[in-house]
Structure formats: C-alpha cells, structure tokens
Amino acid sequence: MTEAVPLSGGMGKLYGVSLGPGDPGLITRAAWAALQRRDAVWVYPARSGKTPSYALDIATRAGVMPPDLHTQLLFPMTHDGEKLAVAWMKAAQTVLPWLRAGRDVLFLVEGDASTYATFGHLARTLRALDADSDVHVIAGVNSFTAACADVGVPFSEQDDTVAIVPAAYGVGSVERLLPDFDTLVLMKIKPLLDDLIDWLQRRDLLSGTHFVERVGAVDERRLSGADILQLRGTKVSYLSLLIIKNPHRIRGERIKGCLKKSSAVVETEAA
Ligand SMILES: C[S@@+](CC[C@H](N)C(=O)[O-])C[C@H]1O[C@@H](n2cnc3c(N)ncnc32)[C@H](O)[C@@H]1O
C-alpha cells in the first residue's frame, strides 16, 4: 500500500533499521522495538520486482508482519550512475510524502545500515530534496562479524590490521593489500569468485580462508580451506563473502602498545 495518511504535527523521521545479516536472533532490541510500531510505514529494498526483499524476509522470519502501509523500493544491481541516481530519486520521492504527512518511515536494512547499504544513498537524496528531513540510524550486526562468529575465527585480535573491501576492484587490488593486513574481508565476491580462488591457491592462502554464503539464513553455507576449491565454476549467492586470515604477514615494529604508556604521554596527561 502506498497511500499517505496526513497527521497533524511536524515532519516524520526516516529510520535506517538494521536487522542483522539474517538470523532473527541478531536483530537488536532497538530494531525489534521499531518493528513493533504499527504507526510507522515500512519500506524495504529489492533488486527487481521479481526478487523478494531479503530485509523484509528477515523481519517476517522473526515473526513480525508489515504494518498497513508498506512498500518495496527498487534498487537495480548496476554500476550505471544514471540508473542508480534515478532509483535513489524515485525512492526518496516515495518516502517524502509520508514524512511530510508526519509519518515515521522505517527503511529495513539487511546487516548494518552504515555498512555498504543503500540507506546512505536514500538519506542523502532525501536531504537534497528537503533539507528538513530528519534521518536516524539504528545500528546493527553486519555480515562479516556474524560470519566470523559462525566459522569460529576472530575478526581481529590485539594489534591485527583488518581490511574490508569489495572484491569488485579485482585480484590486483587485493594482492596489493595483502602485505599490510592480518585479516581481509572480501565483500561482493560473486562475479570474481573463480579469479579469487585461483589467487588464494597461488598465494597459499586457502588454509586460512573461509567462504560464507547467506550467513544467518536457513540455507547458510560455509566452506573453509581446500573445500573452497569446490566452488570453482559454480554460481554462488550475491550474499557471500570471504574471510582471509593472512599467515604470511610480517608485522613491523609497533611504536606504541596500549599496555605501556611512554613517559612523554604520562607527563602530558598529568599536566
Ligand atoms: C550491499 S552489501 C551489504 C552489507 C550489509 N549491509 C552488512 O552490514 O553486512 C552486500 C554484500 O555484503 C555481504 N553480505 C551481506 N549479507 C550477507 C550475508 N547474509 N551472508 C554473507 N554475506 C553477506 C556480501 O558480500 C554482499 O555482496
């Protein structure tokens, strides 16, 4: 349903409601409380009219049905800047009348709303249309920390360095990052998976690598080490990532640890 119902009072607020990567148990209490509201409008992203919204699926699997007013917003999977700008504008124009009518709008987000999410584009476009737009984010669990928990590897420890990168820049860019990072998280790996597998094998990195698909969904899949070779030539879900623990990293000298303060720092703090 898309009909705006005018309410008296000021402008409504837009919330980016992070729902975690798929397991309803990873919905935060704040997001859960937001979902219970029946007075707010729900909007949720989908790639096309034929593909159901994964964010909506998380909410419904948690047992919460949409309120009377709800609609999907289409964000096509493309790097075409013009097409994307049109989609963001359409989405903002859908949401704005509700906000102007005083309704709060909840944009359901898979994972965390600040992590590679469409929500940021919507918020920016909305502010450009109406500078009075009031936008809030409810933080959530992202896909890669949930994936680390499920495969049983720490995301980072002590002085570990971590890089989180979309694989779209290609194997060459991942190769350049390798010397500086203990953990690499590669997102959006689907189109490059075969190249990445070849590179992992060539660089002797497979033993510390984990592939995680649809973490938190009922059909979550995990493969580690040499088992990842089975994925060559197969299709994986867009919701897939790689966690690479780099055994070859040589750490330089650490200048200052958190445990021991240098006398210079102690003196400055005491002054
Ligand atoms: C547009 S980003 C969304 C990131 C999300 N907002 C988050 O907080 O993790 C999409 C990419 O995130 C990763 N991703 C998101 N959800 C996932 C899931 N449930 N399982 C595995 N990877 C996921 C995949 O690499 C996917 O290509």
Side-chain angles (χ1 to χ4, degrees):
M1 263 179 85
T2 53
E3 187 193 343
V5 179
L7 290 182
S8 55
M11 201 159 162
K13 298 181 177 71
L14 173 68
Y15 291 87
V17 183
S18 308
L19 297 180
D23 176 353
L26 295 182
I27 297 176
T28 64
R29 286 174 68 161
W32 182 254
L35 292 179
Q36 305 310 308
R37 293 182 53 182
R38 297 290 95 184
D39 60 326
V41 181
W42 282 17
V43 293
Y44 33 87
R47 272 179 265 165
S48 76
K50 290 182 208 142
T51 328
S53 165
Y54 188 66
L56 178 65
D57 180 56
I58 299 172
T60 55
R61 276 194 292 117
V64 193
M65 290 305 130
D68 292 345
L69 275 177
H70 67 97
T71 192
Q72 73 178 6
L73 301 175
L74 294 183
F75 299 101
M77 293 284 281
T78 174
H79 289 294
D80 181 328
E82 268 178 41
K83 281 193 186 145
L84 287 173
V86 168
W88 300 334
M89 182 55 74
K90 248 184 160 172
Q93 284 169 341
T94 304
V95 163
L96 191 55
W98 282 315
L99 298 173
R100 285 187 171 152
R103 299 293 284 244
D104 285 351
V105 175
L106 311 185
F107 182 96
L108 309 189
V109 183
E110 173 268 320
D112 170 59
S114 305
T115 310
Y116 296 117
T118 314
F119 182 70
H121 301 300
L122 173 62
R124 242 188 326 276
T125 313
L126 191 66
R127 286 194 184 109
L129 285 180
D130 189 329
D132 291 335
S133 304
D134 196 358
V135 179
H136 301 261
V137 171
I138 299 176
V141 178
N142 58 49
S143 53
F144 43 87
T145 47
C148 284
D150 282 8
V151 294
V153 294
F155 175 65
S156 58
E157 291 177 294
Q158 225 178 354
D159 296 326
D160 278 0
T161 54
V162 178
I164 300 151
V165 283
Y169 294 107
V171 169
S173 101
V174 184
E175 169 75 35
R176 283 191 292 281
L177 292 170
L178 195 60
D180 286 334
F181 293 95
D182 297 285
T183 304
L184 288 174
V185 175
L186 303 187
M187 313 278 281
K188 306 182 182 183
I189 57 173
K190 183 179 176 180
L192 264 122
L193 191 56
D194 282 357
D195 292 350
L196 291 167
I197 293 173
D198 289 348
W199 173 76
L200 289 166
Q201 203 173 21
R202 207 165 53 241
R203 298 294 265 117
D204 192 23
L205 288 164
L206 271 174
S207 62
T209 299
H210 307 271
F211 164 87
V212 186
E213 181 178 56
R214 295 173 64 85
V215 61
V218 282
D219 52 356
E220 172 175 336
R221 186 162 63 134
R222 302 190 291 265
L223 292 171
S224 295
D227 287 347
I228 292 172
L229 296 173
Q230 297 166 19
L231 296 172
R232 261 204 193 114
T234 67
K235 260 195 169 178
V236 300
S237 163
Y238 167 70
L239 297 176
S240 306
L241 54 81
L242 285 170
I243 301 159
I244 304 167
K245 291 288 179 179
N246 180 5
H248 311 306
R249 180 160 135 72
I250 300 164
R251 293 177 180 210
E253 191 190 341
R254 272 150 282 179
I255 298 169
K256 222 189 286 171
C258 351
L259 297 178
K260 196 175 165 201
K261 289 181 179 178
S262 76
S263 53
V265 173
V266 173
E267 276 165 27
T268 315
E269 284 177 356

